[in-house]
Amino acid sequence: MATLSFSLPFASELNGALRRVPVWSVYLAGVLPLAWILWLLAEGGLGIDPVKEIEQRLGKIGLQLIVAGLAVTPLRRFAGLNLLRFRRAIGVLAFCYVVLHLAAWVVLDMALLWSQALGDIVKRPYLTLGMAAFALLVPLAATSNNWALRRLGGMRWRVLHRLVYPAAVLGGVHYLWLVKAWPPEPFVYLGAILALLALRLGR
Ligand code: HEM
C-alpha cells in the first residue's frame, strides 16, 4: 500500500541538529515545569487555592506530554522530523507528571483518606476515567527500559505500548468530563488526541 509522506523543507538539517541533542537534556527540560510550580508555590504565586492549582497544572503537563509522545510518529511520517530518540523520555516524563498529579490529589486534596479517595474514584466518573488512564500507563512505564524490551521482544513490546492510545483518549475524556461550562481547551486536547490516532489508521 502506498504511504503518504511529506518532509519539512529543512527536515534533514533539523534531524542532523537533533541527533546532537542528548536525551538527558529532554529529561532536564521535563523537570523545569515542576521546578516552576515549586517556585510559584514558594512565592505564593499559585492563587487562592494552591492545591487545586498544583493538581491542575500537573495533570495538564501530563496530558501535554502524552500528546507530544503521540505526535512523534506522525511528525516523522508527515514532516520527516525524527524525534524517535526522545520518545521514551517524553513517555517517562508524562508518566511521572501523571503520578505527581495523582499523588497531589491523594496527599494534598484527600489528605491520605484512602477509603474516601477510593469511594470518590468509584462515584465520580471523571476520576474513574483518570484512574483507568493511569492504570493503562503503569505497564508502559514498567516496560520502558531495554531489559523489558529484550524480555518481551520487539513485537510484543510494540503491541503492549499501544495501550497509550486508549490511555490518551481516557485522559482527554477525563479532562473534558471534569470541566464546567464547556471551555474550548479540553476539546482541543481531545481533538488533537483523536486526530493523532486517526493519522495512524491509514498505515
Ligand atoms: C493519564 C492520566 C491523567 C491525565 C492525563 C489527567 C489530566 C488532567 C487534566 C488535564 C486535568 C485538568 C487540568 C485543568 O483543569 O487545567 C485534570 C484534573 C484533575 N484530575 Fe486528572 N489526569 C489523569 C489522571 C488522574 C487520576 C488518576 C486522578 C485521581 C484519581 C485525577 C484527578 C484529577 C483531579 C482531582 C483534577 C482536578 C479537578 C478539578 O479541577 O476540580 N486525574 N487531570
Side-chain angles (χ1 to χ4, degrees):
M1 186 173 65
T3 52
L4 200 62
S5 65
F6 305 98
S7 253
L8 285 176
F10 300 108
S12 60
E13 288 83 348
L14 221 56
N15 287 335
L18 284 169
R19 265 195 293 276
R20 287 190 289 277
V21 176
V23 173
W24 60 258
S25 64
V26 175
Y27 284 106
L28 192 66
V31 174
L32 295 180
L34 178 62
W36 177 240
I37 292 173
L38 293 175
W39 168 260
L40 287 176
L41 180 66
E43 289 289 298
L46 288 177
I48 49 162
D49 192 348
V51 167
K52 183 122 291 188
E53 192 65 29
I54 292 172
E55 214 169 74
Q56 291 180 340
R57 281 179 186 246
L58 292 170
K60 187 80 73 64
I61 299 164
L63 191 59
Q64 285 163 352
L65 285 164
I66 289 174
V67 173
L70 284 181
V72 169
T73 298
L75 273 175
R76 191 171 64 135
R77 190 159 161 236
F78 296 106
L81 204 61
N82 192 347
L83 298 168
L84 271 181
R85 278 178 59 236
F86 308 115
R87 187 160 60 182
R88 181 186 291 182
I90 295 170
V92 169
L93 284 165
F95 182 73
C96 290
Y97 274 97
V98 171
V99 168
L100 290 171
H101 173 61
L102 173 58
W105 179 70
V106 174
V107 179
L108 305 176
D109 213 351
M110 304 306 292
L112 291 173
L113 297 171
W114 295 102
S115 59
Q116 199 178 319
L118 285 174
D120 273 7
I121 289 171
V122 174
K123 251 194 341 242
R124 295 170 194 252
Y126 83 87
L127 289 178
T128 317
L129 291 165
M131 207 60 206
F134 170 70
L136 290 176
L137 292 180
V138 172
L140 304 196
T143 55
S144 283
N145 54 71
N146 292 339
W147 180 81
L149 176 59
R150 274 195 304 274
R151 280 296 298 248
L152 286 169
M155 187 62 183
R156 271 191 292 173
W157 189 90
R158 269 196 300 278
V159 171
L160 178 71
H161 278 246
R162 286 190 196 141
L163 285 179
V164 72
Y165 307 156
V169 175
L170 288 168
V173 179
H174 158 75
Y175 184 12
L176 188 63
W177 206 297
L178 66 88
V179 292
K180 293 154 194 91
W182 307 105
E185 215 179 338
F187 286 99
V188 171
Y189 279 96
L190 190 58
I193 289 165
L194 294 176
L196 287 168
L197 296 187
L199 284 175
R200 288 157 195 269
L201 291 179
R203 279 166 62 173

